[in-house]
Each structure stands twice: as C-alpha cells, then as structure tokens.
Amino acid sequence: MADAPIARASEQLSPEGRRDRSSGQGSFARVARYTISRTIALFITIVIGVYATILIANMGGYVDEIRSAQIEEGVAIGVSQNPEYRSLTSAQRQELVAGMVEVERQRLGLDRPFVVRSFTYLTNALTLDLGRSEYISSDRGSRQVRLVILERLAPTLILFASANLILFFVAIFVGLFLSRRYGSWLDRFVIALAPTSAAPSWFFGVFLILIFAALLGVLPFGGMVATPPPPERLDYALSVLKHLILPVSAIIIGAVFITIYSWRTFFLIYSSEDYVEMAKAKGLPSNTIERRYVLRPTLPTIITSFALLVIQLWTGGIVLETVFNWPGLGRLLFQAINLFDTPIIVASVVIFAYLLAVTVFLLDIVYALVDPRVKVDSGGAV
Amino acid sequence: MKALLSSLKALTQFPSAIVGLGVVFGMVVFAAYAMITIPYSEAIRLWRGGDQVWGDTPRNAPPAWFNLFPGNNLPTTIRVDSRDDPSLKTRQNVGEELTAVDMRLPFEFRFDGFPKELNVTFASQFDARLPNVQMTWVTPDGREIRLGDLTLRATETFRISQESRLERRLGGRPPEVGLFANPDDPDRALKGIYELRVEGLVFEEDADIEAKLVVYGQVHGLAGTDHRRRDLMVALLWGAPIALAFGLLAAVGTTITTMIIAAVGVWFGGFVDAAIQRVTEVNLILPLLPILIMVGTFYSRSIWVILGVIIVLGIFSANIKTYRAIFLQVKQTPYIEAARAYGAGHGRIVFRYMIPRVVPVLVPSFVTLIPTYVFLEATLAVLGLGDPILPTWGKVINDALTQGALFRGQYYWVLEPALLLMVIGFGFALVGFALDRVFNPRLREL
C-alpha cells in the first residue's frame, strides 16, 4: 500500500495522464511492437517521399520534352559538323539524325510514357536498384549509380556522424553543467549566444574559411584530403582530419548554442520536480541525482529534439558540402541537378530519405528503450 | 491590443530584447529607405547592369572608406567629358570639307596609388566618312606621350589599359601605371594636372566628335563594386526589403496554416487527427532543401514559386505537435463544453476559442521562424538558384564565391552581405528569444 501514492505521483508525469496497464508485458515485447509499427510508418513515408521526388524531378513529364529537344539539337549539330558526313545528301543526313536521336532516346528510356516509367523508377528506387547514370560517373569510371553514391556516402557520413556525435555530447555535458549554475555569467553568456543558431551552418563555414584559410592560412580552403593525397594511410587519415576541422566546426557552431540552451532549460525544469527534492532529502550524492533523477527522465525529450536537429542538419548539409567542396552526397546532388542527371537526382534524394528515416528510426528505438511510458499508438513518439 | 502593449512592456525588461527590437526597427527603416530612394523598376534595371548603366564604375573595387585607413590614398574614379564643358573643344576649318576638332581633357590627380583602368570613349556624328583621332597624353611635368591613332565609328571605346604596344613603349609597365608613374620614383604616381589631348579630323561639315575620359579609381562608393562593375550598394539596399518581405510572408503563411490545421485536427479528432499526424510524419522526412533545389532547377527560380513551395511544405511541420498539445488541453476545458452546449458551430469554436489560446506560443516561434526563412532564401541564392532578376544578399555572396573573392582577397564582397544577413537574423532571433521568455513564465524564472 505504501507504494501506491508514489506510483500515482509518477503517473502524473505522463502527458496524457493515462496509466500504462501493459507494463506487465515486459520491455522486449513493448520495444518490438513499437519497432514494427514505426518501421511500417517510416516505410510508407519513404514511398510517398520518393514518389513525390520522382514526380518533381521530372515535372510530370515536362523535363522529358526538354531533354528530347536537347537530344535532337545536339545530334543535329554533331552531324552537321562531322566531316565524315559531308558527302551525304540532305535527306540521308536527316535520316541519320533521326536514327541517332531514336537510339539516344531509347538509351534514356524516353520512348515509354512517363507514368509507366515513374512506377519503374519507384520500384527500382525502393529496392535500391539504382541503374546507370546519364552523365556523372564515379571516380573509377563506373556509371552505375549505386557505385557513384557509395563513393560519396562515406565522406558525408564521416562528416555528419562526427559533427553530430560531438554536438550531442558537448550539449549534454555543458547543458548539465550550466543547469547547476544558472544565473552565472557563463550561463548568461551562452544564452546570449543562443540566437546565433538562426544562421545555417554554411554561413559560419564561409566565415571560418575567411578567417582560417584566407587570412591566417592555417587550414585548407576545402576538399576532403590534400592534393595529391598522401600515400601512407596514417598521413591520409591525418590529412582527412585536418580537412574535417573547419566543416565540423561550422556544423557545431551553427547548432551548439541553441542546443545547450534548450537542453539546459529542460534539465532545469526537470530538476525542479518533487522527486528530485525527495532524492536530495534522502541524501543521495549529487552525481547520482543528476544521472538518475534528472538526466534519465529528460532523455526522451532530449532525444526528440536531437532528432529534429539532425533532420535539419542533414538537409542543410548540401550547401555546406558545396561551400567546402566536400566530396559527399550533398555536393553530388547539386552537381546532378545542374546536369539534369535524373537517375542520380532520384537516387540521391532516395538515399537522403533513407538516411533520414534510419536516423529517425534509430533515435526512436533509443527513445523507446529509454522512455518506459512509450505506447504503441501515436501518442508517445516523435 | 492591450495584450500586445503589455507584452511589449514586459519585453523591455530584457536588454537583449531591446537590442533586438532596435536592430529590427533599424532594418525596417533601412528597407524603407531602399524602396523610397530606388524604386523597384529602377533597382531591377540597375542590377541588370550593362555598359550603359555601369560603364564608368571600376571593376571589383573595394569601398571608398578604405581610404580612411592610415596610409591609404587610393584613387577614386575621375570622369572628364567634353559634353560637360564645351570650352574644352575647338573646331577649326583646315581645308575643304576638312575640319579639325581638338579637345583637351584635363584632370587633377592627387592620389598615391595608380588608377585601375583607363578608357576613352568617343561618340561621333557623321554621314558617311569616318572621323579620325590622334591621342596624346600630357603629364604634369610636361612630357607628351603619343597614345595612338584611331578611326571612329559611331561609338568607340579606346581601352588605353589594354594597349600592348603602349605598354612596351612605357617599358613593360601597364599603361595605367606607366602613364602616371613619377620618372624619379617609378613606384609612385606623379601628382598634378594631367591632360589628354585629342586631335580629331572630320570630313563633313556637320560631323562632330565627343570624347569622355574615365580614369577608373581603385575604390568606389559605400560598398564597393562587383565583377560586373555594379555598385554593391544597390544590392545591399534592396536585399533588405526582399529579405524582410520573404521572411515575413513565409513565416506568416506557414504559421497560420499550421495553427489552423492543428486546431481542426484536434477539434474533429479521430480519423482527421490521425490523418494529419501521418501526413506530418511524411512531411518531416521529405528533405526540404533538395526539393526546393529541384523545383528551382526544373520549374522556375521565381521567388514567388519558391515561396509557395516553402509554405506548402512548411504547413505540416513539427510545430503541429506543439500546437496540438495545447489545443488538446484547451479542448478539455469547461468553457468549450459550454460553447458546444449552447450550439456554437465548429468554426466559431475553433476560431474564437481555441486559436487565441495558442497565440502565446505562436508569437515567439513565429518571430524566430523569420530568420530561418531569410536564410533559406539566401541558401538557395548562394547555390545559384535564387531569383535571377532580384538583387538579394544571397546572390551577392553567390557572385562573390563563384568569382573566387576569398582567394583574391576581395573580402568586402563576401563580408558586407554576410554581415547584413547576420544582423537581420540575430535581430529577429533576439526578439523571438525574449518573447519566448515573456510568454512562457516558466522560462522566465530560469
């Protein structure tokens, strides 16, 4: 009987105030059900997102007309300037042009109607059968989209994983630190800097390049590795690290202050809860209080906000990679768009969507593991 | 209205808010000044540029206030036009149908540095026979240097700086340096009165020649110039109203629609609510920037299209969950129940009772959203997908980066628009932050 008031007290923390009757099922079953439902939801999301991408990338078929016209023009000009064909009559040349145009259109698949092709694109994209690109090739000369993207995937992951990891841990530790000393000058300094996160990461990137590469000359202007790349593996890794400094700093500066500020606020709100007072009254060491009574309950909220932050950072990465000439997915997408290379565009956006979905998914699993109140319906999730 | 005034008063207790409000107000004044001094069509015409508009401004020149730094005495642009002062020209009949048209174009040069470029532009009127000119350069110490002969068409520009024969005659130094160099101290310019003497011959009675000498300065204007000789002040001035308008419109559009949809979802509950939640989740994963890039490349780069897409994609944003939480709370209150009891329609309940409750959360997030959209537009412009005719700050940065401004030390070109973007972003962010603390008392204690 003595634990009933405590049980009811902890129930009141649940946002909808409902009691979790299924807690008897055990952690594993709960997480498993949650996982499956989130997977299905995310998958539908991806399908819709990818199809929307395909539609947009082709403007409902208008781009095909542009490309047909480009092909005809290109072939006609090529034939008229080619000295081999000088001897042909005008009618023969026209026939030749028509034949070459038809071959090129078949190569690009423009002879089938767009709607049919869009579904082929969709199934291919979802199964990651990404086909061959039209213009862009990988560094080793392959035109297989899969290889082109795989080549660019690793740099992007290196950049974003390192930046996000550093950001996460710095924000948690500094946030906890500041929540213990709110009102101090350090606290107010960080709060004053929080509005700087209104600017996207590439903005800080430009300033960092200006200061460290242009004015001081200590760090490289861009790229992932020095040219020519050092042959020794250790030197290569060190060169990559040196080139990582500025982009990672740009990402971190662009997000760290607001993250520290909002997490420190969360910590403060949660540390004013009654059970923390009770833990202090019980005489628990402050480290334990922080870890078990403040950090643990805050973790779901923090993970949610981190998920949203990561989503923003992902899409902002395109410009960052372009500014720093970083050989990643973002820059690939931008190059592909400039070249009208539809398979690469669709594939890049699909991979982006998958990466986003995987990130959200992982964070959701962590969320489910961390928050015992999570239920399978729409209430508890991101 | 009263609530607005009381919240403004509450805002003033935060020094950061006062700074922010000051900055925002300053930006609005700046934007208004831009729109008044340079009307829209004029701004577009200036930004399109071209020789007619910007022929007399130097290329890639830093701002004139660089001269305020000690040790700098860089020249500004000097124009001498025979049309401005008819006494510079003399006509003399030297034979049948042959008239000598002589012009002297003097100017004073008191700077330490050399000019960037030297051009002489001729405008002639004639019927059939092309006039002829001979140009001589006279330095303050009396030396006369022959620049060359030229047969004129209706308009002709003699680019002295690009004359390689002249360069060789001057000892291998570029003409704009060689013609101004002090013979005793070749690295410095000789100060004094220079003159360009033009001896022209026209072969018809009523034919005439006009000449304009432009000595391009190393610095120009308040903001400097870009690679197309355009004065950057035009873009910096007009970037403000465009940024403000874009940010405001996008923020207003998304916030209002998001709020209405959240309210509708919560009020009607059940299937509608679940559907809205699913759509939100889909929308969360749709990468905004790649879609904008695709629309910009394949569809149209017009700022209105981009604005429309941003609003459409921003309606089902993550903010829906916040508003939904508040609306859920509001829905349970007794006065809503009372309203239903007396037969209030759905519309009335949603708009008159639920929406006003969410305004305290809405206002700070709305203000903080404005700089997000300002930077989003700048991002697209930096990628090269901005509106092609509008002078925006992002476009200036794009030009600067593609022309390698950072490599060439033309830092002013990148710093000026970047600083303005920063100022507008931080101004709004400061105000939004303070508003957050005003409207959320829990945060105020912290």
Side-chain angles (χ1 to χ4, degrees):
Chain A
M1 268 341 268
D3 50 18
I6 298 183
R8 238 178 289 131
S10 51
E11 276 165 33
Q12 276 160 20
L13 293 174
S14 164
E16 279 105 357
R18 299 208 291 271
R19 298 180 53 181
D20 191 336
R21 289 194 184 282
S22 57
S23 56
Q25 283 181 348
S27 224
F28 179 70
R30 167 175 64 88
V31 173
R33 269 175 50 191
Y34 183 71
T35 309
I36 294 178
S37 74
R38 288 301 287 162
T39 318
I40 296 180
L42 278 173
F43 185 71
I44 298 180
T45 303
I46 293 185
V47 168
I48 298 181
V50 169
Y51 196 67
T53 305
I54 294 177
L55 279 181
I56 297 179
N58 238 288
M59 283 163 61
Y62 181 60
V63 169
D64 294 340
E65 292 175 38
I66 299 178
R67 289 207 304 210
S68 298
Q70 280 178 338
I71 291 170
E72 286 175 16
E73 184 184 359
V75 169
I77 291 180
V79 165
S80 69
Q81 288 178 343
N82 194 332
E84 273 183 29
Y85 301 132
R86 286 278 165 75
S87 49
L88 298 177
T89 66
S90 162
Q92 279 177 320
R93 216 177 296 156
Q94 272 182 10
E95 220 183 281
L96 184 65
V97 166
M100 289 170 80
V101 167
E102 195 48 43
V103 166
E104 184 74 2
R105 291 189 75 218
Q106 275 180 11
R107 172 177 93 92
L108 296 174
L110 289 176
D111 48 340
R112 288 173 289 150
F114 171 66
V115 182
V116 171
R117 257 183 305 133
S118 70
F119 283 105
T120 323
Y121 282 150
L122 183 65
T123 36
N124 285 345
L126 292 174
T127 50
L128 287 182
D129 169 18
L130 299 166
R132 298 171 58 88
S133 81
E134 287 165 18
Y135 308 110
I136 296 182
S137 44
S138 75
D139 286 345
R140 290 179 210 206
S142 164
R143 289 257 290 266
Q144 288 201 313
V145 174
R146 188 170 46 93
L147 292 179
V148 174
I149 289 196
L150 268 177
E151 239 178 32
R152 314 285 210 266
L153 194 56
T156 300
L157 284 180
I158 293 177
L159 181 61
F160 280 96
S162 41
N164 283 338
L165 277 174
I166 300 180
L167 182 64
F168 186 75
F169 287 109
V170 164
I172 281 199
F173 286 123
V174 179
L176 269 176
F177 180 75
L178 284 183
S179 71
R180 265 181 276 140
R181 288 154 210 252
Y182 68 93
S184 69
W185 68 267
L186 187 64
D187 192 36
R188 264 184 288 179
F189 178 67
V190 170
I191 296 183
L193 281 179
T196 61
S197 303
S201 52
W202 60 261
F203 189 76
F204 295 105
V206 172
F207 276 108
L208 285 174
I209 294 183
L210 184 69
I211 298 175
F212 290 100
L215 276 179
L216 296 178
V218 291
L219 287 171
F221 273 95
M224 188 173 88
V225 82
T227 41
E232 294 285 313
R233 291 188 89 189
L234 183 64
D235 291 335
Y236 189 88
L238 283 177
S239 178
V240 171
L241 272 177
K242 188 175 179 193
H243 284 75
L244 258 182
I245 297 180
L246 281 184
V248 166
S249 308
I251 295 179
I252 294 182
I253 296 180
V256 79
F257 293 111
I258 188 99
T259 319
I260 293 182
Y261 171 71
S262 55
W263 293 7
R264 149 217 175 275
T265 313
F266 287 139
F267 288 137
L268 278 174
I269 293 180
Y270 278 82
S271 56
S272 57
E273 291 283 352
D274 293 341
Y275 53 81
V276 175
E277 292 292 327
M278 199 191 75
K280 283 193 211 166
K282 276 207 287 187
L284 290 174
S286 62
N287 266 345
T288 321
I289 296 184
E290 235 176 41
R291 219 179 355 106
R292 251 194 273 157
Y293 290 81
V294 179
L295 189 55
R296 187 93 208 295
T298 329
L299 225 38
T301 329
I302 287 190
I303 290 185
T304 311
S305 96
F306 190 64
L308 289 175
L309 179 71
V310 165
I311 291 178
Q312 274 181 342
L313 288 179
W314 264 129
T315 53
I318 293 184
V319 192
L320 187 77
E321 285 188 10
T322 311
V323 165
F324 278 100
N325 223 16
W326 188 263
L329 268 186
R331 201 186 65 162
L332 172 69
L333 177 60
F334 187 60
Q335 287 171 336
I337 287 175
N338 278 329
L339 289 172
F340 275 79
D341 195 339
T342 313
I344 299 249
I345 295 175
V346 173
S348 303
V349 179
V350 167
I351 298 288
F352 258 119
Y354 269 128
L355 284 172
L356 265 177
V358 164
T359 320
V360 169
F361 184 64
L362 283 174
L363 287 169
D364 274 352
I365 291 196
V366 174
Y367 184 92
L369 282 171
V370 153
D371 189 349
R373 301 168 301 175
V374 159
K375 303 157 212 42
V376 179
D377 61 9
S378 61
V382 175
Chain B
M1 203 58 221
K2 233 181 5 175
L4 184 71
L5 287 174
S6 72
S7 47
L8 270 180
K9 238 176 43 163
L11 207 56
T12 50
Q13 59 173 285
F14 295 108
S16 59
I18 301 183
V19 170
L21 277 175
V23 167
V24 170
F25 183 67
M27 265 294 155
V28 172
V29 168
F30 188 64
Y33 174 75
M35 294 203 289
I36 294 174
T37 40
I38 312 178
Y40 178 71
S41 48
E42 175 71 8
I44 301 289
R45 186 188 73 91
L46 287 175
W47 191 242
R48 260 216 177 101
D51 270 346
Q52 267 76 359
V53 185
W54 296 110
D56 293 345
T57 35
R59 214 185 282 273
N60 286 328
W65 41 263
F66 265 40
N67 272 340
L68 293 175
F69 294 120
N72 270 357
N73 189 2
L74 297 170
T76 48
T77 308
I78 304 174
R79 276 180 81 232
V80 191
D81 197 333
S82 62
R83 276 166 285 213
D84 294 334
D85 190 355
S87 67
L88 296 171
K89 191 158 63 162
T90 50
R91 290 179 71 104
Q92 212 180 8
N93 199 312
V94 290
E96 18 175 302
E97 302 252 341
L98 215 60
T99 315
V101 182
D102 291 338
M103 285 174 280
R104 289 162 179 262
L105 303 172
F107 62 93
E108 190 172 348
F109 195 79
R110 293 252 163 246
F111 303 102
D112 286 332
F114 293 99
K116 219 180 198 5
E117 221 180 317
L118 283 173
N119 279 351
V120 187
T121 312
F122 295 100
S124 351
Q125 293 163 308
F126 54 89
D127 277 333
R129 306 185 63 185
L130 307 171
N132 213 298
V133 289
Q134 240 184 36
M135 291 165 286
T136 315
W137 184 261
V138 183
T139 59
D141 52 356
R143 286 172 294 138
E144 292 190 7
I145 306 169
R146 269 207 44 210
L147 295 178
D149 303 341
L150 204 58
T151 308
L152 300 179
R153 292 167 294 185
T155 42
E156 185 89 29
T157 307
F158 183 60
R159 300 187 193 275
I160 302 178
S161 324
Q162 291 174 4
E163 283 287 303
S164 42
R165 280 176 291 177
L166 184 59
E167 188 172 334
R168 268 178 275 141
R169 267 195 284 140
L170 290 170
R173 310 183 81 190
E176 66 269 14
V177 172
L179 289 175
F180 285 87
N182 190 336
D184 304 320
D185 186 4
D187 287 331
R188 304 185 66 129
L190 182 63
K191 300 187 192 174
I193 306 225
Y194 287 80
E195 199 176 80
L196 174 71
R197 241 182 256 160
V198 178
E199 286 149 18
L201 273 178
V202 293
F203 304 101
E204 284 151 7
E205 273 278 344
D206 42 0
D208 202 7
I209 312 175
E210 303 283 358
K212 177 178 72 171
L213 169 69
V214 185
V215 181
Y216 291 91
Q218 293 270 6
V219 293
H220 183 86
L222 269 177
T225 60
D226 68 359
H227 62 301
R228 285 172 55 184
R229 302 182 190 265
R230 300 178 291 197
D231 190 346
L232 287 177
M233 266 318 268
V234 173
L236 293 183
L237 274 176
W238 260 93
I242 294 176
L244 280 174
F246 189 84
L248 267 169
L249 283 175
V252 164
T254 44
T255 315
I256 292 191
T257 36
T258 307
M259 182 184 67
I260 294 182
I261 299 227
V264 162
V266 164
W267 180 243
F268 290 108
F271 174 70
V272 174
D273 193 28
I276 292 182
Q277 290 297 96
R278 296 285 85 80
V279 172
T280 308
E281 278 168 28
V282 172
N283 199 19
L284 203 63
I285 303 244
L286 278 183
L288 176 66
L289 193 59
I291 291 186
L292 279 176
I293 294 180
M294 284 199 292
V295 168
T297 318
F298 295 127
Y299 248 118
S300 148
R301 283 160 46 176
S302 152
I303 206 168
W304 295 111
V305 172
I306 301 287
L307 185 64
V309 174
I310 288 179
I311 292 185
V312 163
L313 285 177
I315 296 180
F316 289 95
S317 66
N319 284 329
I320 279 197
K321 304 202 186 262
T322 331
Y323 300 153
R324 183 170 170 270
I326 299 182
F327 283 133
L328 274 174
Q329 270 183 337
V330 172
K331 192 174 165 184
Q332 317 286 6
T333 54
Y335 67 80
I336 297 282
E337 212 178 306
R340 292 189 62 190
Y342 75 69
H346 293 301
R348 183 180 165 86
I349 294 188
V350 167
F351 281 95
R352 271 218 61 190
Y353 295 118
M354 295 180 71
I355 288 191
R357 288 296 301 271
V358 85
V359 166
V361 172
L362 196 118
V363 169
S365 80
F366 165 75
V367 172
T368 333
L369 210 50
I370 296 180
T372 312
Y373 287 126
V374 168
F375 274 109
L376 185 57
E377 189 270 322
T379 304
L380 280 176
V382 167
L383 285 176
L385 293 170
D387 197 300
I389 54 172
L390 286 179
T392 58
W393 294 331
K395 183 77 177 85
V396 176
I397 299 184
N398 174 249
D399 283 340
L401 290 178
T402 39
Q403 299 292 321
L406 292 178
F407 292 109
R408 299 200 208 167
Q410 293 158 345
Y411 303 127
Y412 67 93
W413 202 357
V414 175
L415 279 177
E416 283 163 4
L419 280 173
L420 280 173
L421 272 172
M422 201 159 65
V423 163
I424 206 177
F426 294 170
F428 277 106
L430 282 174
V431 175
F433 243 64
L435 276 176
D436 211 14
R437 282 183 281 177
V438 163
F439 284 115
N440 286 325
R442 276 185 102 178
L443 290 177
R444 214 189 303 171
E445 293 156 25
L446 308 170

